[in-house]
Amino acid sequence: MARKNHNSHMLSAIPGGMESDEEELEVLMQCLKIKRLADITTGAGINGRNFDATLDAEAEEFFKVFREKWNMYSKNKSPHLRQEFGKALMSHPEPALLLALKIFANCPDSSNVKPKSLSHFVLDTVCKLHEEYPELIGEEGCDPNTSMIAFNFVKMSGLLSLNNAVIHAYSLRHIRELLLPHLRELLEAGHVKEVTQWAISLQLTHEFDMMELAFPLIAVEKLPLAEEYLDHATEQRLPFVKFLDSLLHKEKPVIQLCEDLLGRYKNLKISHNVLSYRPISKIVARLAKKYSFDDAVTPNYKFTKTCSYLHYLYREYEKARINLASFRELVSVHAYDYALRKDFVSYLAAAQAHSEAIYWYRQFKLNPNDCPLEIKSQVSRNGFTEAANRESDGGSEASGCDMYLTMDLPDECLNIVDTAAQFERMLFHLQKEHIIYLDSEWMQNVCGDSPLCLLQIATGHNVYLIDCLARENIRSEHWRSLGANIFNNVNILKVGFSMVSDLSVLQRSLPLQLRLQMPHHYLDLRNLWLELKKQRYGVELPYGNVNRAGDALTDLSLVCLGKKLNKSNQCSNWANRPLRREQILYAAIDARCLLLIYNTLLARVSFINVAIEKSIASNNFLRRGANVK
């Protein structure tokens, strides 16, 4: 049987030398995985008409000579090449735009246009000629068929500048309706990037929906292009952000929610890394901020972000970085609905914080069916006692410790400013000062800008705590007066720590009209501290060397004053009125310590004036970003 099969194969064999060269070449290219490039003139016109790219004798002779010159001089980018080529286009009897397409088709690299290729040079030159001499385009020079040919020649180039030049020179916007089916074919083939660029340039974004372009661009990690598309497709912004937010499901992963959608994108190389919670949540936050959408547009993002923030608050409280009063204030503010409250109690119970979980279970009045198993047995018993004891002890535990800096001024020197009369009296006294010390406190906002709540200004004998939420009593003209007479007054030195963050919040929140382009009357103690650290052996201060200390304000306080700052009230509800006494003392000490540290540096550092001048000279409050406080 094997012998018989062998003979049958031999009967169908082709004698040596008689094979088809074309067939043999095709087989060889398939084996070597070489793709044969299609002739770009085939079907390039309207309705699939072929384009005749044959050059007449004059044009063919010119192009033959020009190619030799191009190969010789193209690397040097000789300007005479463009001049010579442009002159030939304009002097030839055939319309320049049509002749350029014929020459383009005859270029050896026309199927793979690159910025420095001859084919790119041909179209780029004729497009620039069109800008300089609009009369090049005529009725016979750029009919719809010529426009279609130009589009088909460059549709896959990916060169945005060339595409835009061709759109203008060859009047592609006049045949937008004819181009739309071609764009959809490209989209079906998976060329979402190219189609998006053409849709933007041809002003066709309204012809595509967000699932055709915007979402695939996200899925292939082309966020900048997706944003550019949404900048033009204004009607798709809101539904697209809502759609992305819907992927941030409480129980299902993003990729699972996208499985049915991804089936329609057969030719796309989907990046599964981007289709997860963290990348999508960042995109939702970015787009919501860019297009000024409020929290109501992104409920899932707000929920998960708030859940994480509540968990973070408990971890900070557990590490004694915030006190019990601040912790419970913030939880009460941010646990705004039943689902968040239920999640938070479950988190506390899973973290073995049973007493706190019982406290919040009762505080939130959760349904008994939602009581976590870990605390269900204790809820009916006296599980509330331990939490109550912790509440009574937590407020004074940190504040009475000797390791923290305390206020050295009497209570009558701590002035809360929340009326117009108090503000005007404060302004009168501040204008007599030559140096003041600034700090601010704001309420942490999980999903948006954090509102400014308190502005602290310390002088030699007073600390003013200005209520930035007292808008009915302190009006815009008061703030403008403070900005003009104090902040923009070059005769008053303003001292702070990490001032970029404070000044950016002040500029955004209050009508102070700050002139930050000339910041030579601001001194950032953090910059001064870093300047001192540049000394080879450091600088000895009363309680240590600067090179052995960190860069936070509490480190400066420890080395200069011998005591750290108690930060347990930093993360608290600064929008609450009236403020707790612990909050008032914390805010006043934060501003007062700047004066004490500054005076210590003046007294102990011999070259302090030089260091101050250098640090002031390095101020740049207009740069993007801010130092973290």
Side-chain angles (χ1 to χ4, degrees):
M1 178 66 71
R3 181 74 177 174
K4 184 177 181 180
N5 286 341
H6 176 72
N7 290 337
S8 65
H9 284 302
M10 291 300 293
L11 289 174
S12 61
I14 300 174
M18 303 298 291
E19 306 94 338
S20 166
D21 291 342
E22 187 66 28
E23 290 179 2
E24 186 178 358
L25 179 62
E26 192 68 35
V27 172
L28 180 61
M29 291 179 67
Q30 289 179 2
C31 292
L32 296 176
K33 296 183 178 180
I34 298 174
K35 183 180 180 181
R36 185 192 293 267
L37 294 176
D39 184 359
I40 65 170
T41 62
T42 303
I46 292 178
N47 297 326
R49 284 187 288 175
N50 295 337
F51 174 54
D52 183 7
T54 306
L55 297 172
D56 61 24
E58 179 185 350
E60 186 174 4
E61 180 62 25
F62 163 76
F63 186 51
K64 179 181 177 181
V65 175
F66 186 82
R67 277 183 61 184
E68 294 177 359
K69 293 181 180 179
W70 172 266
N71 293 333
M72 187 179 301
Y73 299 115
S74 62
K75 291 183 179 179
N76 298 326
K77 297 183 179 179
S78 179
H80 80 273
L81 288 176
R82 189 177 295 276
Q83 296 172 3
E84 182 180 347
F85 189 78
K87 192 177 294 183
L89 288 177
M90 296 178 69
S91 61
H92 197 275
E94 200 164 14
L97 292 173
L98 182 60
L99 178 60
L101 291 178
K102 289 185 176 182
I103 294 175
F104 176 90
N106 282 275
C107 291
D109 51 19
S110 59
S111 296
N112 187 27
V113 184
K114 299 294 182 184
K116 294 183 179 181
S117 63
L118 177 58
S119 54
H120 181 280
F121 170 84
V122 170
L123 285 186
D124 185 55
T125 300
V126 76
C127 290
K128 287 180 177 177
L129 276 175
H130 172 260
E131 284 185 19
E132 297 177 18
Y133 308 101
E135 63 272 11
L136 279 177
I137 188 168
E139 293 296 326
E140 72 284 358
C142 200
D143 58 280
N145 190 59
T146 303
S147 301
M148 180 63 75
I149 293 167
F151 167 76
N152 281 316
F153 280 2
V154 299
K155 64 184 180 183
M156 289 300 297
S157 71
L159 303 174
L160 192 57
S161 59
L162 179 63
N163 292 351
N164 288 332
V166 169
I167 287 172
H168 182 62
Y170 286 88
S171 307
L172 295 193
R173 288 199 179 99
H174 294 167
I175 61 164
R176 285 185 298 183
E177 299 303 320
L178 296 176
L179 297 178
L180 195 55
H182 293 266
L183 293 177
R184 294 203 175 277
E185 287 179 12
L186 291 176
L187 189 60
E188 188 68 25
H191 302 295
V192 62
K193 173 187 171 183
E194 290 79 6
V195 172
T196 304
Q197 290 175 338
W198 282 109
I200 293 171
S201 299
L202 292 170
Q203 300 173 1
L204 285 172
T205 54
H206 62 281
E207 297 288 349
F208 299 89
D209 63 46
M210 64 185 188
M211 302 310 295
E212 289 180 304
L213 294 182
F215 180 65
L217 287 171
I218 297 294
V220 296
E221 296 187 279
K222 300 291 182 185
L223 178 59
L225 185 56
E227 285 191 36
E228 186 181 354
Y229 170 77
L230 292 172
D231 288 343
H232 292 81
T234 55
E235 73 286 350
Q236 297 182 28
R237 295 173 186 171
L238 180 61
F240 186 63
V241 172
K242 285 185 174 180
F243 162 73
L244 291 181
D245 182 72
S246 70
L247 299 179
L248 304 177
H249 198 272
K250 303 178 183 66
E251 298 173 358
K252 296 181 181 178
V254 173
I255 190 66
Q256 183 179 342
L257 294 170
C258 293
E259 283 179 353
D260 294 336
L261 296 171
L262 297 179
R264 64 185 287 185
Y265 309 118
K266 298 178 182 178
N267 297 307
L268 275 185
K269 294 182 179 179
I270 303 296
S271 172
H272 289 79
N273 292 330
V274 77
L275 297 180
S276 55
Y277 175 81
R278 186 178 291 274
I280 293 297
S281 65
K282 287 183 177 180
I283 295 172
V284 169
R286 179 183 176 91
L287 295 180
K289 183 177 181 179
K290 179 176 182 178
Y291 300 123
S292 302
F293 295 144
D294 58 27
D295 296 344
V297 174
T298 57
N300 287 340
Y301 172 74
K302 183 180 179 182
F303 175 85
T304 51
K305 192 77 174 175
T306 307
C307 277
S308 300
Y309 180 65
L310 291 172
H311 301 171
Y312 160 79
L313 286 177
Y314 174 71
R315 292 194 300 272
E316 291 295 289
Y317 164 63
E318 190 178 33
K319 296 172 185 175
R321 292 176 181 167
I322 59 176
N323 59 31
L324 183 62
S326 298
F327 166 66
R328 289 185 172 174
E329 278 178 352
L330 290 174
V331 171
S332 299
V333 170
H334 290 287
Y336 56 84
D337 66 8
Y338 190 86
L340 281 170
R341 295 167 182 173
K342 176 184 172 184
D343 174 87
F344 184 60
V345 172
S346 298
Y347 173 80
L348 293 175
Q352 303 297 314
H354 292 170
S355 59
E356 200 65 26
I358 294 170
Y359 170 84
W360 287 109
Y361 170 79
R362 296 182 174 179
Q363 192 74 10
F364 292 150
K365 299 178 181 178
L366 295 186
N367 190 311
N369 295 330
D370 295 325
C371 181
L373 294 175
E374 295 91 337
I375 62 171
K376 185 168 283 189
S377 61
Q378 301 176 46
V379 168
S380 57
R381 299 198 303 269
N382 193 17
F384 183 68
T385 307
E386 185 183 347
N389 291 337
R390 291 176 67 188
E391 180 180 13
S392 62
D393 296 339
S396 59
E397 180 180 352
S399 59
C401 185
D402 290 337
M403 66 183 294
Y404 293 120
L405 187 68
T406 56
M407 176 52 66
D408 60 339
L409 295 176
D411 285 355
E412 54 267 24
C413 294
L414 308 183
N415 304 286
I416 295 178
V417 180
D418 57 5
T419 67
Q422 292 169 336
F423 194 96
E424 290 164 3
R425 190 161 51 249
M426 173 200 70
L427 190 59
F428 175 77
H429 290 295
L430 289 179
Q431 292 180 78
K432 298 179 180 179
E433 299 290 334
H434 295 291
I435 179 169
I436 60 173
Y437 305 85
L438 304 174
D439 193 32
S440 61
E441 307 297 339
W442 51 82
M443 177 66 179
Q444 180 66 40
N445 193 328
V446 176
C447 296
D449 290 332
S450 300
L452 179 66
C453 299
L454 199 68
L455 171 61
Q456 304 102 279
I457 300 179
T459 63
H461 304 288
N462 292 279
V463 178
Y464 298 98
L465 307 176
I466 310 172
D467 187 355
C468 299
L469 302 181
R471 294 188 177 89
E472 292 184 2
N473 298 326
I474 304 176
R475 298 181 297 276
S476 295
E477 54 266 28
H478 291 107
W479 293 114
R480 284 194 291 269
S481 181
L482 180 65
N485 296 303
I486 306 301
F487 281 90
N488 296 331
N489 188 339
V490 297
N491 296 316
I492 300 177
L493 179 65
K494 274 70 68 176
V495 179
F497 186 85
S498 290
M499 296 187 78
V500 173
S501 54
D502 287 311
L503 291 175
S504 63
V505 173
L506 289 174
Q507 185 81 300
R508 184 188 73 230
S509 307
L510 300 174
L512 292 169
Q513 299 177 348
L514 302 179
R515 294 198 295 267
L516 299 178
Q517 63 273 21
M518 295 186 297
H520 58 275
H521 44 94
Y522 289 90
L523 173 62
D524 192 330
L525 285 184
R526 187 174 187 276
N527 292 344
L528 179 59
W529 190 250
L530 295 176
E531 192 66 38
L532 296 179
K533 281 195 167 190
K534 293 178 182 178
Q535 301 303 310
R536 184 172 182 180
Y537 300 108
V539 177
E540 287 296 333
L541 292 171
Y543 297 94
N545 193 295
V546 295
N547 286 345
R548 295 176 184 172
D551 297 333
L553 182 58
T554 188
D555 298 316
L556 274 71
S557 177
L558 182 61
V559 175
C560 293
L561 310 175
K563 293 188 177 182
K564 298 197 300 183
L565 297 177
N566 180 4
K567 291 290 184 178
S568 63
N569 277 287
Q570 181 182 33
C571 188
S572 62
N573 183 8
W574 290 102
N576 194 31
R577 295 296 181 269
L579 294 172
R580 290 179 287 105
R581 175 167 174 78
E582 291 81 3
Q583 288 178 295
I584 293 172
L585 288 173
Y586 167 82
I589 291 171
D590 248 17
R592 176 70 177 174
C593 76
L594 298 174
L595 177 147
L596 301 176
I597 292 170
Y598 180 73
N599 288 341
T600 301
L601 295 177
L602 287 180
R604 298 299 294 263
V605 181
S606 59
F607 58 92
I608 191 63
N609 290 329
V610 176
I612 288 174
E613 288 179 5
K614 287 184 178 180
S615 61
I616 289 178
S618 68
N619 284 340
N620 182 10
F621 299 136
L622 299 180
R623 69 182 184 274
R624 293 187 65 186
N627 294 330
V628 179
K629 205 172 180 181

